[in-house]
Amino acid sequence: MRQRVITAVIALAFFLPIIYIGGIAIELLAALLAGIGVFELFRMKGLAVLSFEGILAMIGAVILVLPQDRWFAFLPDGTDKSALYYFVVLLLLGIAVISKNTYTFDEAGFPVLASLYTGVGFERFLTARSATDGLVVLVFGLFVVWATDIGAYMAGRRFGQHKLWPDISPNKTIEGALGGIASAVVVAAVYLLAFPGKDYFGHGTLLMILLTIIFSIAGQFGDLVESAIKRHYGVKDSGNILPGHGGILDRFDSMLFVFPIMYLFGVF
């Protein structure tokens, strides 16, 4: 526990100023985190990230994350960076030809999905910060995720009796999940008193509270997805870059679901 707290304090001391500064700093951070996420997925599957497909997957994730205007101005007018990403996908599919079909279409699907999972997730995280009132929006999403995690942990320890999804994550309980939702709603309600929904999120306060329930559920589902991935590959943590916490995907799994869902519902 002591190591977890120390790591969390150091990470926040590094992370929070970058969130506040925004701009190039947070763009580079988001791209770095996406690249590490791809690395961790390859590592869990037992693949070499410094392989042709591993490097392409990391490049694809970075392309998805970084804003086009600043980083891909070399593209012809009217060309979207999604075309550049799809070129990376075509190169991955081309490995089947180069390898004389020893590298299959199914195998090419893994690096594509890995780059999409981390790339789109961290791109939406970045989009939240670059939106109008982006700092307010981004902090709201982070608070929902953190409140859900803390509330689920505390409620699960105190009241947890009924397993939520034992085949995937045996320690999670229904009571913990409900506690996480309740905690997120309380935190969101207090936050919205300072930053009214209509003024900062384009939705009324009541609708934002209802959406918070959806975001909290999405965050918990993202956590379960990461647990399912780790269980499938037989690993305890996605990595060891954060002592006491595991890897980047272990810490950002909920956010990789929450921010895309926030974007889907027009919060930013």
Side-chain angles (χ1 to χ4, degrees), residues 142-167:
L142 293 174
F143 276 5
V144 168
V145 170
W146 293 340
T148 298
D149 287 347
I150 294 171
Y153 175 76
M154 295 179 65
R157 288 199 62 178
R158 178 67 178 84
F159 304 107
Q161 292 184 0
H162 302 88
K163 298 297 183 182
L164 177 64
W165 217 308
D167 292 338

Side-chain angles (χ1 to χ4, degrees), residues 163-173 223-224 227-228 231:
K163 298 297 183 182
L164 177 64
W165 217 308
D167 292 338
I168 298 298
S169 186
N171 294 326
K172 288 182 172 58
T173 63
D223 192 309
L224 287 169
S227 295
R231 185 168 288 272

Side-chain angles (χ1 to χ4, degrees), residues 14-26:
F14 172 77
F15 189 61
L16 293 180
I18 293 178
I19 287 176
Y20 179 78
I21 294 169
I24 293 178
I26 197 170

